Amino acid sequence: MMSGHSSKAGIRTNIEHTVETASAWCASNGVLMGARDSGTTKPLGIHVYEPAPFSLEPTPFPRSAFESSYKMAKPFNGVVHRAASRYEGWLRAAVKTAAEGDADFTGKMMALADEVVQMDKRGGLEKRAQNVALGILRSDYMLHGNAIDDAIPLQVELNTIASSFGCLSTKVSKMHKHLSTLASLAGNPDARADLPDNGAAEGIAAGLASAVKEYKDQRKEAVSAMDAQGDLVTSYPPVVVMVIQPGETNSVDQRDLEFILLEKHGVKLIRRTLNEIASLGQYGGADGIFCGRELLLPDDTLASGSMVAAATIYYRAGYTPDDYPTSVEWEGRKLAEHSGAIKCPDIFYHLFGTKYAILSLRVHLPVESTTSSCGARTPPTVLHL
């Protein structure tokens, strides 16, 4: 069993000191969230923070359950990809009932997916501009059993969009190791030195960076073909566009990815709301490059507000009806979906995350290829983290 839990000595012999140390560690390492007014719960401002909730000790969890859950990650990724790749053959039918009962949200998502498919069938410059998707997926588990040593993990849900706290949870894991080391130095025989590593933050950043590289490789291939014909091509700096909610209070968890991407991978990330994408975004580029649908956005950190190209669109918003208060937000989602950017998730991955689709997994999902797209690879690719 992997646990930092102890009731004998070390961590619990001086609880006040442990709380003080843990609080200082978290404050020093940015385990923070945007502060909210205690009365109205409204954000106090984009630069006002408060401590994020954390536990002093990790929750005891059987090693065998942890390892089996870990091993199931890639197979589950494959299931998601196969289901998302068979929209007409399986996924649409799986979410149809939910779409009919929730016309203003799930129904509009299904309509957008239908639009992507129908445009692709018409071909030409209306073909799907990008058929590569990035999956940053999170399975949630609960233990089932009469005793913890015999308990097995059961999947509660599989999140395909906006899985949060990857960066803060990485930090809290480090804090637990720090407290365990102090307990060990204090002579606590129950202090654990083998707490598992949590590489969520760097893993997510690596996934986003690999999607940007895929986009750049696709674009380079398309540009080479145009150069051979003597066509001049304008290039824009490729970036990750993180789609966020207005007044986001989980910005610390999100911006850690921004910093890791730049420091470890040399990739820039910008933050935009769906409304901003709709009002500021535009398609550009030659017809031979993503069907003329490179998504361009102004970057006010560059001279004269120069334009950048959305290589990867990473949704940390857009998963709730509250994120679409007007038709403008839906226009932003459509502009992004039809673009040449690699989406995380695309509309098909997003639809699979609905409960109706996951509950329908008892239906066999045969492997099936999809049609090619402008400047993109075929068959569709899943980028495993």
Side-chain angles (χ1 to χ4, degrees):
M1 183 188 302
M2 294 181 299
S3 167
H5 184 82
S6 170
S7 58
K8 298 178 181 179
I11 290 179
R12 290 194 182 277
T13 53
N14 190 341
I15 191 68
E16 291 184 356
H17 174 72
T18 302
V19 170
E20 179 185 346
T21 301
S23 298
W25 194 100
C26 287
S28 298
N29 289 274
V31 184
L32 304 168
M33 295 185 70
R36 291 181 179 272
D37 184 274
S38 59
T40 65
T41 71
K42 292 182 178 180
L44 293 177
I46 60 174
H47 302 304
V48 183
Y49 302 100
E50 63 186 8
F54 63 88
S55 64
L56 284 180
E57 301 173 348
T59 301
F61 204 85
R63 180 181 294 276
S64 59
F66 175 85
E67 291 176 347
S68 63
S69 301
Y70 188 84
K71 290 177 182 177
M72 286 302 297
K74 284 190 176 182
F76 272 127
N77 288 358
V79 169
V80 172
H81 185 65
R82 288 171 62 193
S85 298
R86 294 197 69 242
Y87 176 68
E88 290 187 292
W90 183 84
L91 181 58
R92 192 181 193 281
V95 300
K96 184 179 179 181
T97 300
E100 291 172 345
D102 180 28
D104 288 337
F105 183 57
T106 308
K108 288 183 177 180
M109 287 200 298
M110 193 171 82
L112 177 55
D114 287 345
E115 192 175 282
V116 172
V117 171
Q118 293 307 313
M119 286 178 61
D120 199 39
K121 288 180 178 179
R122 289 196 290 270
L125 293 179
E126 291 194 61
K127 290 178 69 174
R128 192 173 172 184
Q130 181 59 260
N131 66 1
V132 174
L134 172 66
I136 295 178
L137 314 175
R138 189 190 74 203
S139 285
D140 296 340
Y141 296 93
M142 294 186 72
L143 290 175
H144 177 74
N146 295 323
I148 190 169
D149 290 333
D150 301 321
I152 60 173
L154 295 182
Q155 188 187 61
V156 178
E157 64 176 339
L158 197 162
N159 296 279
T160 62
I161 183 171
S163 299
S164 60
F165 293 112
C167 292
L168 291 191
S169 66
T170 297
K171 293 179 178 180
V172 171
S173 293
K174 292 179 180 179
M175 183 269 288
H176 287 154
K177 286 190 174 186
H178 179 80
L179 295 182
S180 184
T181 299
L182 290 179
S184 179
L185 292 174
N188 179 3
D190 295 329
R192 299 301 298 262
D194 59 346
L195 295 177
D197 291 328
N198 185 341
E202 293 201 359
I204 294 171
L208 292 168
S210 66
V212 172
K213 181 180 183 303
E214 170 67 17
Y215 176 92
K216 291 167 67 175
D217 288 345
Q218 290 181 17
R219 194 181 191 284
K220 182 179 180 181
E221 186 176 323
V223 169
S224 295
M226 296 190 66
D227 285 344
Q229 300 173 7
D231 296 327
L232 296 177
V233 179
T234 301
S235 294
Y236 302 91
V239 300
V240 173
V241 177
M242 179 183 285
V243 182
I244 60 170
Q245 296 171 331
E248 175 65 67
T249 58
N250 199 23
S251 61
V252 174
D253 181 65
Q254 296 173 354
R255 299 206 69 170
D256 271 336
L257 287 174
E258 175 186 344
F259 306 144
I260 295 172
L261 271 171
L262 189 61
E263 294 167 7
K264 300 282 187 179
H265 304 281
V267 172
K268 185 173 183 177
L269 181 150
I270 64 174
R271 298 158 57 81
R272 298 291 184 269
T273 64
L274 285 168
N275 190 294
E276 289 171 334
I277 290 174
S279 58
L280 301 174
Q282 63 186 57
Y283 289 149
D287 290 347
I289 303 174
F290 303 116
C291 304
R293 279 180 265 143
E294 281 196 284
L295 179 56
L296 307 179
L297 290 161
D299 182 355
D300 52 16
T301 67
L302 300 177
S304 303
S306 300
M307 305 295 275
V308 293
T312 303
I313 298 175
Y314 175 39
Y315 287 96
R316 292 296 291 262
Y319 56 89
T320 168
D322 294 340
D323 290 336
Y324 302 87
T326 72
S327 62
V328 175
E329 284 73 23
W330 281 110
E331 288 303 315
R333 182 67 186 266
K334 288 181 181 181
L335 193 70
E337 192 63 39
H338 290 306
S339 76
I342 294 175
K343 272 71 71 175
C344 180
D346 66 8
I347 191 63
F348 305 104
Y349 269 53
H350 188 177
L351 278 172
F352 177 81
T354 62
K355 300 298 184 290
Y356 264 86
I358 294 175
L359 288 173
S360 299
L361 277 178
R362 63 184 181 275
V363 179
H364 179 60
L365 297 173
V367 176
E368 180 178 288
S369 295
T370 63
T371 55
S372 61
S373 62
C374 301
R377 310 287 174 80
T378 186
T381 305
V382 59
L383 303 177
H384 292 296
L385 301 188

